[in-house]
């Protein structure tokens, strides 16, 4: 991978930018749980940004400072009382952040840390999604369906070893209900909710497909 990066100007610029940003993230305090207007989405998106940067930097450089910081942040987030399931996008993006971080720094984590993180994801995301008051997104034809189903699929795949039956049920339901979101696209691909949500929903949809193909060899 580094050979490809070093021989592609665009990839090299992106790689260097992520490493630099991860370096800055090493100096930041933990993300405090903050509800603003009924939402915690800013916290979740900051978690996605930081954890992806740090976990990527660790995998590409093997510098344990990045893994240590990512671990501290993930455990801190897992100690939250919840991930605001009443606005499930908050929960979904947080679950995605924790899941991809867990996957990318898995070898650095201790068994105890893995168990703590897995239990938090199970309670705060997988179980929370079974509450009918929270999971209306599974009946939606909007970006909520794509983002929430995709993030929960990542969580189910990443933590399968800890709760296989719940993970399997989650993935089966997600595969069943994600098809509703395909109706967001018209015959020519124009998105029901406009270009911003087109990008948002389609990005997470693509991440779900990639995760399924990575594990199963197909989507």
């Amino acid at each position: 991978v580094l050979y490809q990066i070093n021989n592609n100007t665009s990839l090299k610029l992106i790689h260097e930018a992520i490493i630099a940003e991860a370096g800055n993230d090493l100096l930041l305090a933990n993300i405090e749980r903050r509800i603003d207007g009924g939402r915690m989405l800013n916290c979740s998106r900051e978690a996605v940004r930081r954890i992806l940067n740090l976990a990527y930097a660790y995998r590409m450089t093997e510098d344990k400072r990045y893994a240590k910081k990512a671990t501290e942040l993930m455990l801190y987030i897992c100690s939250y009382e919840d991930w605001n399931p009443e606005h499930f996008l908050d929960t979904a993006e947080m679950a995605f952040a924790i899941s991809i971080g867990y996957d990318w720094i898995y070898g650095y984590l201790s068994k105890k840390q893995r168990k703590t993180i897995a239990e938090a994801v199970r309670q705060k995301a997988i179980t929370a999604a079974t509450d009918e008051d929270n999971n209306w997104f599974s009946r939606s034809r909007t970006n909520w369906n794509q983002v929430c189903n995709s993030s929960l699929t990542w969580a189910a795949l990443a933590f399968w070893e800890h709760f296989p039956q719940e993970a399997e049920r989650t993935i089966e339901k997600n595969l069943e209900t994600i098809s509703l979101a395909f109706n967001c696209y018209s015959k020519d691909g124009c998105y029901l909710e406009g270009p911003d949500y087109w990008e948002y929903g389609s990005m997470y949809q693509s991440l779900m497909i990639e995760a399924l193909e990575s594990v199963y060899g197909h989507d």
Side-chain angles (χ1 to χ4, degrees), residues 168-187:
E168 183 175 3
R169 285 196 298 269
T170 297
I171 293 172
E172 287 178 349
K173 182 173 182 179
N174 294 349
L175 290 173
E176 178 184 349
T177 61
I178 194 73
S179 60
L180 289 172
F182 294 149
N183 293 313
C184 288
Y185 305 94
S186 74
K187 293 181 180 180

PDB file of all heavy atoms in Angstrom, residues 168-187:
ATOM      1  N   GLU A 168     -25.910 -11.604  13.853  1.00  0.00           N
ATOM      2  CA  GLU A 168     -26.564 -12.216  12.688  1.00  0.00           C
ATOM      3  C   GLU A 168     -27.961 -11.644  12.478  1.00  0.00           C
ATOM      4  O   GLU A 168     -28.346 -11.315  11.345  1.00  0.00           O
ATOM      5  CB  GLU A 168     -26.641 -13.732  12.873  1.00  0.00           C
ATOM      6  CG  GLU A 168     -27.240 -14.448  11.668  1.00  0.00           C
ATOM      7  CD  GLU A 168     -27.203 -15.954  11.812  1.00  0.00           C
ATOM      8  OE1 GLU A 168     -26.758 -16.444  12.875  1.00  0.00           O
ATOM      9  OE2 GLU A 168     -27.610 -16.644  10.867  1.00  0.00           O
ATOM     10  N   ARG A 169     -28.715 -11.516  13.564  1.00  0.00           N
ATOM     11  CA  ARG A 169     -30.068 -10.936  13.447  1.00  0.00           C
ATOM     12  C   ARG A 169     -29.998  -9.504  12.924  1.00  0.00           C
ATOM     13  O   ARG A 169     -30.840  -9.085  12.107  1.00  0.00           O
ATOM     14  CB  ARG A 169     -30.770 -10.971  14.808  1.00  0.00           C
ATOM     15  CG  ARG A 169     -31.256 -12.349  15.230  1.00  0.00           C
ATOM     16  CD  ARG A 169     -32.257 -12.249  16.366  1.00  0.00           C
ATOM     17  NE  ARG A 169     -31.685 -11.659  17.562  1.00  0.00           N
ATOM     18  CZ  ARG A 169     -31.108 -12.361  18.541  1.00  0.00           C
ATOM     19  NH1 ARG A 169     -31.016 -13.683  18.428  1.00  0.00           N
ATOM     20  NH2 ARG A 169     -30.633 -11.770  19.619  1.00  0.00           N
ATOM     21  N   THR A 170     -29.027  -8.760  13.402  1.00  0.00           N
ATOM     22  CA  THR A 170     -28.875  -7.364  12.971  1.00  0.00           C
ATOM     23  C   THR A 170     -28.603  -7.278  11.474  1.00  0.00           C
ATOM     24  O   THR A 170     -29.234  -6.491  10.758  1.00  0.00           O
ATOM     25  CB  THR A 170     -27.726  -6.689  13.749  1.00  0.00           C
ATOM     26  OG1 THR A 170     -28.049  -6.669  15.141  1.00  0.00           O
ATOM     27  CG2 THR A 170     -27.497  -5.265  13.265  1.00  0.00           C
ATOM     28  N   ILE A 171     -27.664  -8.082  11.005  1.00  0.00           N
ATOM     29  CA  ILE A 171     -27.314  -8.043   9.590  1.00  0.00           C
ATOM     30  C   ILE A 171     -28.486  -8.489   8.722  1.00  0.00           C
ATOM     31  O   ILE A 171     -28.781  -7.874   7.684  1.00  0.00           O
ATOM     32  CB  ILE A 171     -26.078  -8.924   9.324  1.00  0.00           C
ATOM     33  CG1 ILE A 171     -24.856  -8.304  10.007  1.00  0.00           C
ATOM     34  CG2 ILE A 171     -25.826  -9.080   7.821  1.00  0.00           C
ATOM     35  CD1 ILE A 171     -23.621  -9.180   9.986  1.00  0.00           C
ATOM     36  N   GLU A 172     -29.188  -9.532   9.134  1.00  0.00           N
ATOM     37  CA  GLU A 172     -30.331 -10.015   8.354  1.00  0.00           C
ATOM     38  C   GLU A 172     -31.408  -8.938   8.238  1.00  0.00           C
ATOM     39  O   GLU A 172     -31.968  -8.720   7.153  1.00  0.00           O
ATOM     40  CB  GLU A 172     -30.910 -11.271   9.003  1.00  0.00           C
ATOM     41  CG  GLU A 172     -30.028 -12.502   8.817  1.00  0.00           C
ATOM     42  CD  GLU A 172     -30.590 -13.726   9.506  1.00  0.00           C
ATOM     43  OE1 GLU A 172     -31.559 -13.579  10.305  1.00  0.00           O
ATOM     44  OE2 GLU A 172     -30.075 -14.833   9.261  1.00  0.00           O
ATOM     45  N   LYS A 173     -31.683  -8.255   9.339  1.00  0.00           N
ATOM     46  CA  LYS A 173     -32.689  -7.197   9.290  1.00  0.00           C
ATOM     47  C   LYS A 173     -32.213  -6.039   8.422  1.00  0.00           C
ATOM     48  O   LYS A 173     -32.991  -5.468   7.647  1.00  0.00           O
ATOM     49  CB  LYS A 173     -33.003  -6.686  10.695  1.00  0.00           C
ATOM     50  CG  LYS A 173     -34.090  -5.598  10.689  1.00  0.00           C
ATOM     51  CD  LYS A 173     -34.522  -5.203  12.083  1.00  0.00           C
ATOM     52  CE  LYS A 173     -35.641  -4.166  12.000  1.00  0.00           C
ATOM     53  NZ  LYS A 173     -36.116  -3.771  13.344  1.00  0.00           N
ATOM     54  N   ASN A 174     -30.937  -5.680   8.550  1.00  0.00           N
ATOM     55  CA  ASN A 174     -30.407  -4.570   7.765  1.00  0.00           C
ATOM     56  C   ASN A 174     -30.477  -4.856   6.269  1.00  0.00           C
ATOM     57  O   ASN A 174     -30.827  -3.981   5.467  1.00  0.00           O
ATOM     58  CB  ASN A 174     -28.960  -4.277   8.165  1.00  0.00           C
ATOM     59  CG  ASN A 174     -28.847  -3.771   9.590  1.00  0.00           C
ATOM     60  OD1 ASN A 174     -29.844  -3.452  10.228  1.00  0.00           O
ATOM     61  ND2 ASN A 174     -27.635  -3.711  10.098  1.00  0.00           N
ATOM     62  N   LEU A 175     -30.129  -6.083   5.885  1.00  0.00           N
ATOM     63  CA  LEU A 175     -30.184  -6.454   4.473  1.00  0.00           C
ATOM     64  C   LEU A 175     -31.616  -6.435   3.951  1.00  0.00           C
ATOM     65  O   LEU A 175     -31.866  -6.120   2.787  1.00  0.00           O
ATOM     66  CB  LEU A 175     -29.571  -7.838   4.265  1.00  0.00           C
ATOM     67  CG  LEU A 175     -28.053  -7.932   4.441  1.00  0.00           C
ATOM     68  CD1 LEU A 175     -27.590  -9.382   4.381  1.00  0.00           C
ATOM     69  CD2 LEU A 175     -27.342  -7.107   3.377  1.00  0.00           C
ATOM     70  N   GLU A 176     -32.544  -6.774   4.830  1.00  0.00           N
ATOM     71  CA  GLU A 176     -33.951  -6.782   4.435  1.00  0.00           C
ATOM     72  C   GLU A 176     -34.499  -5.371   4.252  1.00  0.00           C
ATOM     73  O   GLU A 176     -35.253  -5.100   3.318  1.00  0.00           O
ATOM     74  CB  GLU A 176     -34.782  -7.519   5.492  1.00  0.00           C
ATOM     75  CG  GLU A 176     -36.268  -7.540   5.214  1.00  0.00           C
ATOM     76  CD  GLU A 176     -37.062  -8.190   6.326  1.00  0.00           C
ATOM     77  OE1 GLU A 176     -36.447  -8.819   7.224  1.00  0.00           O
ATOM     78  OE2 GLU A 176     -38.299  -8.086   6.301  1.00  0.00           O
ATOM     79  N   THR A 177     -34.103  -4.452   5.146  1.00  0.00           N
ATOM     80  CA  THR A 177     -34.723  -3.118   5.141  1.00  0.00           C
ATOM     81  C   THR A 177     -33.944  -2.069   4.357  1.00  0.00           C
ATOM     82  O   THR A 177     -34.491  -1.028   4.013  1.00  0.00           O
ATOM     83  CB  THR A 177     -34.920  -2.618   6.589  1.00  0.00           C
ATOM     84  OG1 THR A 177     -33.641  -2.522   7.244  1.00  0.00           O
ATOM     85  CG2 THR A 177     -35.807  -3.572   7.369  1.00  0.00           C
ATOM     86  N   ILE A 178     -32.670  -2.346   4.051  1.00  0.00           N
ATOM     87  CA  ILE A 178     -31.872  -1.354   3.321  1.00  0.00           C
ATOM     88  C   ILE A 178     -32.427  -1.133   1.913  1.00  0.00           C
ATOM     89  O   ILE A 178     -32.245  -0.066   1.322  1.00  0.00           O
ATOM     90  CB  ILE A 178     -30.381  -1.796   3.237  1.00  0.00           C
ATOM     91  CG1 ILE A 178     -29.478  -0.637   2.783  1.00  0.00           C
ATOM     92  CG2 ILE A 178     -30.212  -2.988   2.302  1.00  0.00           C
ATOM     93  CD1 ILE A 178     -29.256   0.429   3.802  1.00  0.00           C
ATOM     94  N   SER A 179     -33.141  -2.129   1.384  1.00  0.00           N
ATOM     95  CA  SER A 179     -33.671  -2.009   0.016  1.00  0.00           C
ATOM     96  C   SER A 179     -34.658  -0.857  -0.112  1.00  0.00           C
ATOM     97  O   SER A 179     -34.828  -0.297  -1.203  1.00  0.00           O
ATOM     98  CB  SER A 179     -34.341  -3.317  -0.409  1.00  0.00           C
ATOM     99  OG  SER A 179     -35.410  -3.643   0.461  1.00  0.00           O
ATOM    100  N   LEU A 180     -35.294  -0.493   0.999  1.00  0.00           N
ATOM    101  CA  LEU A 180     -36.226   0.639   0.962  1.00  0.00           C
ATOM    102  C   LEU A 180     -35.517   1.921   0.548  1.00  0.00           C
ATOM    103  O   LEU A 180     -36.098   2.758  -0.142  1.00  0.00           O
ATOM    104  CB  LEU A 180     -36.877   0.842   2.340  1.00  0.00           C
ATOM    105  CG  LEU A 180     -37.894  -0.188   2.791  1.00  0.00           C
ATOM    106  CD1 LEU A 180     -38.284   0.065   4.242  1.00  0.00           C
ATOM    107  CD2 LEU A 180     -39.129  -0.142   1.902  1.00  0.00           C
ATOM    108  N   ALA A 181     -34.262   2.041   0.951  1.00  0.00           N
ATOM    109  CA  ALA A 181     -33.521   3.271   0.662  1.00  0.00           C
ATOM    110  C   ALA A 181     -33.173   3.396  -0.813  1.00  0.00           C
ATOM    111  O   ALA A 181     -32.917   4.507  -1.296  1.00  0.00           O
ATOM    112  CB  ALA A 181     -32.239   3.317   1.495  1.00  0.00           C
ATOM    113  N   PHE A 182     -33.167   2.278  -1.532  1.00  0.00           N
ATOM    114  CA  PHE A 182     -32.855   2.362  -2.961  1.00  0.00           C
ATOM    115  C   PHE A 182     -33.908   3.165  -3.717  1.00  0.00           C
ATOM    116  O   PHE A 182     -33.658   3.647  -4.821  1.00  0.00           O
ATOM    117  CB  PHE A 182     -32.717   0.970  -3.561  1.00  0.00           C
ATOM    118  CG  PHE A 182     -31.535   0.203  -3.034  1.00  0.00           C
ATOM    119  CD1 PHE A 182     -31.578  -1.169  -2.927  1.00  0.00           C
ATOM    120  CD2 PHE A 182     -30.381   0.860  -2.627  1.00  0.00           C
ATOM    121  CE1 PHE A 182     -30.498  -1.877  -2.435  1.00  0.00           C
ATOM    122  CE2 PHE A 182     -29.295   0.167  -2.133  1.00  0.00           C
ATOM    123  CZ  PHE A 182     -29.357  -1.213  -2.042  1.00  0.00           C
ATOM    124  N   ASN A 183     -35.072   3.296  -3.105  1.00  0.00           N
ATOM    125  CA  ASN A 183     -36.124   4.092  -3.730  1.00  0.00           C
ATOM    126  C   ASN A 183     -35.837   5.589  -3.653  1.00  0.00           C
ATOM    127  O   ASN A 183     -36.581   6.395  -4.204  1.00  0.00           O
ATOM    128  CB  ASN A 183     -37.477   3.789  -3.068  1.00  0.00           C
ATOM    129  CG  ASN A 183     -37.945   2.369  -3.344  1.00  0.00           C
ATOM    130  OD1 ASN A 183     -37.911   1.908  -4.477  1.00  0.00           O
ATOM    131  ND2 ASN A 183     -38.363   1.665  -2.307  1.00  0.00           N
ATOM    132  N   CYS A 184     -34.746   5.947  -2.927  1.00  0.00           N
ATOM    133  CA  CYS A 184     -34.324   7.355  -2.897  1.00  0.00           C
ATOM    134  C   CYS A 184     -33.840   7.810  -4.269  1.00  0.00           C
ATOM    135  O   CYS A 184     -33.843   9.007  -4.571  1.00  0.00           O
ATOM    136  CB  CYS A 184     -33.168   7.541  -1.908  1.00  0.00           C
ATOM    137  SG  CYS A 184     -33.620   7.436  -0.183  1.00  0.00           S
ATOM    138  N   TYR A 185     -33.408   6.842  -5.083  1.00  0.00           N
ATOM    139  CA  TYR A 185     -32.811   7.192  -6.371  1.00  0.00           C
ATOM    140  C   TYR A 185     -33.841   7.054  -7.487  1.00  0.00           C
ATOM    141  O   TYR A 185     -34.510   6.035  -7.600  1.00  0.00           O
ATOM    142  CB  TYR A 185     -31.621   6.261  -6.666  1.00  0.00           C
ATOM    143  CG  TYR A 185     -30.571   6.245  -5.590  1.00  0.00           C
ATOM    144  CD1 TYR A 185     -30.590   5.288  -4.581  1.00  0.00           C
ATOM    145  CD2 TYR A 185     -29.549   7.190  -5.568  1.00  0.00           C
ATOM    146  CE1 TYR A 185     -29.622   5.266  -3.592  1.00  0.00           C
ATOM    147  CE2 TYR A 185     -28.580   7.176  -4.588  1.00  0.00           C
ATOM    148  CZ  TYR A 185     -28.620   6.209  -3.595  1.00  0.00           C
ATOM    149  OH  TYR A 185     -27.665   6.191  -2.613  1.00  0.00           O
ATOM    150  N   SER A 186     -33.926   8.067  -8.316  1.00  0.00           N
ATOM    151  CA  SER A 186     -34.839   7.986  -9.454  1.00  0.00           C
ATOM    152  C   SER A 186     -34.183   7.179 -10.566  1.00  0.00           C
ATOM    153  O   SER A 186     -33.064   6.689 -10.424  1.00  0.00           O
ATOM    154  CB  SER A 186     -35.179   9.385  -9.964  1.00  0.00           C
ATOM    155  OG  SER A 186     -34.084   9.922 -10.667  1.00  0.00           O
ATOM    156  N   LYS A 187     -34.835   7.082 -11.696  1.00  0.00           N
ATOM    157  CA  LYS A 187     -34.297   6.289 -12.806  1.00  0.00           C
ATOM    158  C   LYS A 187     -32.937   6.803 -13.261  1.00  0.00           C
ATOM    159  O   LYS A 187     -32.110   6.039 -13.730  1.00  0.00           O
ATOM    160  CB  LYS A 187     -35.284   6.300 -13.977  1.00  0.00           C
ATOM    161  CG  LYS A 187     -36.582   5.565 -13.677  1.00  0.00           C
ATOM    162  CD  LYS A 187     -37.523   5.588 -14.873  1.00  0.00           C
ATOM    163  CE  LYS A 187     -38.814   4.859 -14.568  1.00  0.00           C
ATOM    164  NZ  LYS A 187     -39.740   4.882 -15.725  1.00  0.00           N
TER     165      LYS A 187
END
